[in-house]
Amino acid sequence: MTARRGWLTLAAMSAASPRTVRSGGSIPGSKEAAFALSVHSDAPIPVLIAAPHGGRSYPPDLVQRMRHAEDAKLRLEDRLVDRLAEIVAEQTGAALLVARAPRAMLDLNRSVDDIDWSVVDGSAPRSVRHSLTNRRARGGLGLVPSRLAGIGDLWTGRIEQADLEARVDGIHRPYHRALAETLESLRDRWGAALLVDLHSMPPLQPRHPGHRPAEFVIGDRFGASCDPALSSVALAYLERQGRPIAHNRPYAGGFVLDRHGAAARGIHAMQVEVCRSTYLDRHLREPSANLPHVAGVLAGMVRELADQVAALGRGSAFALAAE
């Protein structure tokens, strides 16, 4: 039996093993949890799939304070990427972490310092004003998104600093704690672990006549967040599927990869961007008939990545410590 077939068999067997699903964190102004974490008890593969921008649990007060709420929500969400993530996890046995809190409330792929203080009541801390840590915020897409091209300001007024702190305490901190603990648990079990941080992107524009823009973009912070062999596996697999691909451009990954990718400690992190036109309707709003196929493509990629992660983990100091 080849290694790849062995993994396919093991992943199929994992469907019968129990999954533990737990909710965590809290969404201010709502009774709903900030995220859901689902893991198999036997950790059949050393992969965690996360969807930090899949949340659609909007507190009514948040929506009332949004300008052009429906358009803004659609633009900010990685629309229905959580459904892709759920199918991939089911087909592969990967652990799954899905945000329920919406990106409009708090962006989990940003540092807590990445804040546009002009939308928050109270003075900005001098330590981060005009620093590199809040450069995205000054463009409108920081920890709390504040502006979008074509829409302008997203909010009818400023938010209280206490509200911001509640979002950080209820959403950001527990999500990243759960993410780190799950990756460490997988690493201790396998000797290495991989985070697949799953996102979706609007269709990219062709660079010249006849050019096919990428449908999938693999981001690894230009080699800083995972072993290069893992990016190579992902890119080679997608190329074999005949899908247009790109590596780190225009999306190399963000705060999640910076915070959690630590190859020296056996924890790798990769961002995967999927073009929304591949699995949504022409309005980029509802699922298309192609969604299961795209999920299947991603599941095949995850299986091959799992083989490579396990190979990296075999014989490592972390694997020996876990025995």
Side-chain angles (χ1 to χ4, degrees), residues 7 45-48 186-187 190-196 226-227 229-230 233 266-270 301-316:
W7 275 111
I45 65 172
V47 177
L48 168 63
L186 289 170
R187 189 272 317 275
W190 287 96
L194 171 66
L195 166 66
V196 175
C226 71
D227 189 291
L230 293 171
V233 164
I267 295 177
H268 306 267
M270 172 189 299
M301 184 188 73
V302 166
R303 293 188 189 101
E304 294 201 3
L305 285 168
D307 287 343
Q308 185 65 38
V309 177
L312 291 172
R314 280 195 289 270
S316 73

Side-chain angles (χ1 to χ4, degrees), residues 99-265:
R100 303 303 184 205
R103 184 185 182 190
M105 174 168 267
L106 182 137
D107 191 335
L108 289 162
N109 200 24
R110 299 289 184 266
S111 163
V112 294
D113 294 328
D114 199 359
I115 300 168
D116 177 1
W117 289 99
S118 70
V119 302
V120 181
D121 272 342
S123 59
R126 292 181 180 178
S127 60
V128 300
R129 186 180 294 144
H130 304 310
S131 70
L132 290 176
T133 56
N134 68 347
R135 63 191 182 281
R136 291 189 188 91
R138 296 197 303 275
L141 290 176
L143 183 70
V144 178
S146 58
R147 290 180 300 282
L148 280 173
I151 292 179
D153 291 342
L154 296 179
W155 307 104
T156 59
R158 304 175 79 186
I159 67 173
E160 298 291 335
Q161 191 151 350
D163 184 7
L164 174 63
E165 292 170 357
R167 298 182 192 188
V168 171
D169 290 341
I171 302 169
H172 197 279
R173 290 196 174 98
Y175 178 91
H176 284 284
R177 184 166 55 246
L179 184 50
E181 290 173 353
T182 304
L183 286 170
E184 288 175 4
S185 178
L186 289 170
R187 189 272 317 275
D188 291 347
R189 165 73 173 82
W190 287 96
L194 171 66
L195 166 66
V196 175
D197 206 44
L198 190 60
H199 295 254
S200 72
M201 61 184 181
L204 300 175
Q205 297 301 310
R207 293 196 296 268
H208 52 76
H211 173 247
R212 291 180 66 196
E215 295 178 347
F216 297 83
V217 179
I218 302 299
D220 59 13
R221 302 300 282 166
F222 299 96
S225 66
C226 71
D227 189 291
L230 293 171
S231 298
S232 295
V233 164
L235 292 164
Y237 169 82
L238 292 168
E239 186 173 23
R240 291 198 308 274
Q241 307 307 306
R243 312 307 292 244
I245 54 175
H247 187 200
N248 284 320
R249 299 186 188 279
Y251 303 107
F255 171 75
V256 168
L257 268 57
D258 289 341
R259 174 164 177 170
H260 296 282
R265 296 194 297 109

Side-chain angles (χ1 to χ4, degrees), residues 45-124:
I45 65 172
V47 177
L48 168 63
I49 300 167
H53 292 164
R56 297 187 298 279
S57 295
Y58 292 88
D61 180 62
L62 184 78
V63 176
Q64 290 172 5
R65 288 188 283 162
M66 294 180 74
R67 300 178 189 271
H68 310 289
E70 292 308 309
D71 286 344
K73 288 191 292 183
L74 191 64
R75 294 264 306 273
L76 286 169
E77 292 173 9
D78 282 355
R79 184 68 172 173
L80 301 183
V81 76
D82 54 317
R83 295 193 188 177
L84 285 177
E86 288 163 0
I87 296 171
V88 175
E90 181 64 26
Q91 292 185 3
T92 63
L96 175 67
L97 179 63
V98 175
R100 303 303 184 205
R103 184 185 182 190
M105 174 168 267
L106 182 137
D107 191 335
L108 289 162
N109 200 24
R110 299 289 184 266
S111 163
V112 294
D113 294 328
D114 199 359
I115 300 168
D116 177 1
W117 289 99
S118 70
V119 302
V120 181
D121 272 342
S123 59

